């Protein structure tokens, strides 16, 4: 096992999710048989306490031209990004002569198009060519590259310092932390901020949302571990804000060490983590035991429903669903199809277990009796949109925070 990617400390494994595919590697039927699997296990650093995978997948295998995820698929996230962009325009970027905004992992430009529309100088880093092309078509400026020490320094050289470096659901996917933060150090204005939004360890533990763990996401951050990360690389965590999206997320605001007065929220949230013993080994071991219980309950429920001849479909071919289906062995015999709005996922097979992905119209044209809500982090939006399903007698099945059939 490798040492911790933040501090070099010893990483103690607490959960093994078995061999898992890449969660965004949806297959064409003719590609069957060529799949990449990697053992998915998570551990805790005995030094800085950050929760991280015990192994790494080479980044080019994940974030290549056809990387399937598209930010624009969720209405709630589109609003979150518009609010975030306008928020920066009104605060951090306001009053500067020529503000410069950089986004790491801009994907299809769902956030950056708001920055572009406000006429703010900006640049998105996006290694996936397919996503980058969409972002450009939205009016965003994109560098088709991984953000790291060298590429960030090149942008600093060519375009000057950035006042805000923002990233959503991407910093937790970057294991090469030293290079990442050297890049931020090279690019950020002395008085700039590095802001990132990612799933929060506390929400994952409290909801037993183990499907936040996959071969794409390397870290599950806490206020404690991000504080350690910031300090190690010359930064300081100056604010932390819990977010409803991301299946329960946290916004971390970093500035150069000593440049800003930290908000009292940082200490308050950190104290709550201590009180909950969030990053203590026994908490993580209890979480692991709950994961295995949920696996058994979900598998038993689906087997029973199918044995009774009930029809079941999956809703949302999320990255998260790869972890659940592969851990539980849920294939087309238990869930014959999964519907998803992402064009690049439709007509393909889900990673590892090969459930066909179909457009939502297949679902609405002939409702199943039960729908397994893989996209649980968008539950409110989806259940509101699919009222016809319940009206037709359909029932949602969820597994976060417990396996339950929602009675309408
Ligand atoms: N920010 C978007 C997309 C998150 S998915 C959202 O929140 O919806 C993560 C994105 O980061 C992918 O588009 C991936 O291609 C990109 N990415 C991965 N590693 C990166 C790196 N080192 N630098 C920049 N982008 C990266
Ligand atoms: P996420 O959990 O990584 O945000 O992925 C959400 C997935 O769910 C994505 O593939 C799009 C899909 N989705 C739908 O199919 N319908 C919806 O209404 C929403 C919000 C998402
Ligand atoms: Zn560590």
């Amino acid at each position: 096992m490798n040492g911790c990617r933040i501090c070099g400390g010893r990483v103690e494994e607490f959960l093994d999710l078995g061999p898992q595919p890449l969660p965004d590697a949806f297959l064409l039927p003719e590609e069957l048989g060529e799949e990449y699997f990697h053992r998915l296990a998570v551990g805790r650093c005995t030094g800085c306490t950050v929760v991280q995978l015990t192994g790494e997948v080479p980044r080019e295998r994940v974030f290549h031209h056809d990387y399937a995820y598209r930010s624009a698929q969720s209405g709630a996230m589109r609003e979150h990004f518009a609010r975030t962009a306008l928020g920066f325009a009104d605060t951090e970027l306001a009053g500067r002569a020529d503000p410069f905004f950089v986004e790491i992992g801009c994907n299809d430009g769902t956030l950056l198009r708001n920055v572009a529309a406000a006429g703010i100088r900006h640049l998105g880093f996006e290694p996936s060519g397919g996503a980058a092309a969409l972002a450009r078509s939205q009016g965003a400026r994109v560098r088709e590259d991984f953000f790291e020490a060298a590429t960030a320094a090149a942008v600093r050289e060519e375009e000057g310092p950035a006042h805000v470096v923002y990233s959503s659901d991407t910093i937790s996917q970057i294991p090469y932390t030293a290079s990442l933060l050297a890049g931020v150090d090279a690019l950020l204005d002395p008085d700039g901020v590095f802001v990132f939004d990612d799933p929060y360890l506390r929400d994952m533990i409290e909801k037993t949302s183990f499907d936040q763990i996959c071969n794409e996401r390397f870290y599950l951050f806490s206020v404690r571990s991000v504080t350690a990360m910031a300090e190690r690389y010359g930064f300081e965590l100056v604010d932390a804000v819990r977010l409803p999206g991301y299946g329960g997320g946290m916004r971390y605001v970093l500035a150069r060490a000593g440049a800003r007065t930290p908000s009292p929220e940082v200490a308050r949230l950190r104290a709550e983590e201590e009180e909950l013993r969030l990053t203590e080994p026994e908490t993580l071991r209890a979480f692991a035991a709950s994961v295995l219980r949920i696996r058994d309950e979900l598998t038993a429920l689906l087997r029973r429903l199918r044995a009774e001849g009930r029809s079941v479909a999956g809703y949302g071919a999320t990255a998260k669903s790869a972890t659940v289906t592969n851990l539980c062995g849920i294939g087309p015999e238990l869930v014959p199809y999964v519907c998803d709005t992402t064009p690049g996922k439709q007509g393909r097979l889900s990673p590892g277990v090969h459930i066909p992905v179909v457009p939502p119209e297949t679902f609405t044209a002939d409702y199943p009796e039960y729908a397994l809500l893989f996209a649980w982090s968008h539950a409110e939006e989806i259940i509101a949109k699919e009222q016809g399903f319940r009206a037709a007698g359909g029932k949602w099945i969820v597994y976060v925070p417990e396996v339950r059939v929602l009675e309408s």
Side-chain angles (χ1 to χ4, degrees):
M1 195 181 298
N2 303 324
C4 169
R5 283 295 233 150
I6 287 180
C7 76
R10 192 162 54 82
V11 177
E12 264 176 9
E13 183 177 313
F14 62 85
L15 177 61
D16 177 1
L17 295 167
Q20 291 269 354
L22 299 177
D24 269 290
F26 291 83
L27 305 160
L28 290 168
E30 59 268 28
E31 289 168 342
L32 279 174
E34 298 167 18
E35 231 171 337
Y36 175 87
F37 282 84
H38 185 88
R39 177 170 176 267
L40 180 63
V42 252
R44 165 196 181 271
C45 173
T46 53
C48 72
T49 75
V50 72
V51 171
Q52 65 197 276
L53 299 193
T54 58
E56 276 175 48
V57 178
R59 63 188 189 178
E60 288 78 11
R61 259 196 189 277
V62 186
F63 304 114
H64 47 71
H65 186 276
D66 296 323
Y67 172 74
Y69 186 73
R70 294 291 175 265
S71 310
Q73 296 306 314
S74 152
M77 290 308 276
R78 286 199 299 275
E79 282 167 29
H80 163 68
F81 288 134
R83 257 196 323 275
T84 296
L86 295 178
F88 286 130
D90 286 347
T91 55
E92 287 295 332
L93 300 172
R96 298 198 188 257
D98 180 19
F100 182 33
F101 178 93
V102 170
E103 184 179 4
I104 302 176
C106 70
N107 196 268
D108 58 8
T110 302
L111 178 132
L112 217 46
R113 71 193 172 94
N114 297 284
V115 180
I120 295 168
R121 192 160 63 91
H122 66 273
L123 183 69
F125 276 83
E126 178 48 64
S128 160
L134 281 171
R136 289 194 185 105
S137 75
Q138 303 272 324
R141 260 187 79 230
V142 183
R143 181 174 172 126
E144 199 177 308
D145 238 337
F146 288 95
F147 184 98
E148 58 190 334
T151 53
V155 169
R156 169 68 174 83
E157 192 65 28
E158 291 157 24
E159 311 197 30
H163 304 98
V164 172
V165 175
Y166 173 75
S167 191
S168 164
D169 214 355
T170 302
I171 300 308
S172 61
Q173 306 189 6
I174 298 181
Y176 34 100
T177 304
S179 175
L180 165 83
L181 289 178
V184 175
D185 185 36
L187 184 57
L188 199 66
D189 185 83
D191 183 39
V193 282
F194 173 38
V195 181
F196 56 96
D197 299 343
D198 274 293
Y200 180 32
L201 179 69
R202 175 169 171 184
D203 286 284
M204 181 181 87
I205 300 289
E206 289 181 345
K207 296 178 187 151
T208 321
S209 47
F210 63 96
D211 53 357
Q212 295 281 19
I213 306 165
C214 66
N215 275 324
E216 237 168 69
R217 174 165 295 113
F218 189 77
Y219 288 120
L220 283 142
F221 293 127
S222 62
V223 172
R224 178 164 174 189
S225 62
V226 171
T227 300
M229 176 173 100
E231 281 172 3
R232 187 163 186 97
Y233 296 97
F235 294 93
E236 187 173 5
L237 180 62
V238 296
D239 203 1
V241 184
R242 293 187 78 175
L243 302 170
Y246 305 93
M250 181 72 90
R251 168 164 297 175
Y252 300 98
V253 182
L254 273 57
R256 293 186 187 279
R260 298 202 181 192
T261 309
S263 147
E265 277 302 280
V266 177
R268 190 184 68 78
L269 288 162
R270 169 91 185 253
E272 282 186 8
E273 289 182 356
E274 298 288 327
E275 187 141 327
L276 290 164
R277 303 183 61 76
L278 182 66
T279 53
E280 295 307 314
E282 72 269 18
T283 306
L284 299 170
R285 278 197 298 268
F287 164 78
S290 300
V291 172
L292 300 183
R293 180 175 49 75
I294 287 181
R295 173 196 65 186
D296 294 343
E297 289 176 9
L298 181 60
T299 316
L301 172 65
L302 293 173
R303 289 210 181 112
R304 178 170 66 73
L305 291 175
R306 295 297 280 165
E308 290 170 0
R310 306 288 187 185
S311 55
V312 180
Y315 202 103
T318 53
K320 297 179 183 70
S321 68
T323 300
V324 179
T325 53
N326 285 279
L327 176 70
C328 302
I330 300 170
E333 61 300 333
L334 291 180
V335 175
Y337 73 81
V338 54
C339 72
D340 194 287
T341 50
T342 316
K345 296 183 182 180
Q346 295 164 0
R348 293 179 175 247
L349 301 169
S350 74
V353 293
H354 308 152
I355 300 175
V357 184
V358 301
E361 292 72 35
T362 306
F363 176 78
T364 44
D366 182 15
Y367 290 126
E369 290 167 276
Y370 292 86
L372 177 53
L373 187 55
F374 288 124
W376 58 265
S377 60
H378 306 283
E380 213 175 309
E381 180 175 348
I382 290 171
I383 291 173
K385 179 165 74 177
E386 298 292 2
Q387 286 178 19
F389 171 59
R390 271 189 161 161
K395 290 187 174 145
W396 293 102
I397 301 172
V398 295
Y399 51 87
V400 171
E402 289 291 336
V403 177
R404 265 188 321 139
V405 177
L406 301 183
E407 301 298 335
S408 19

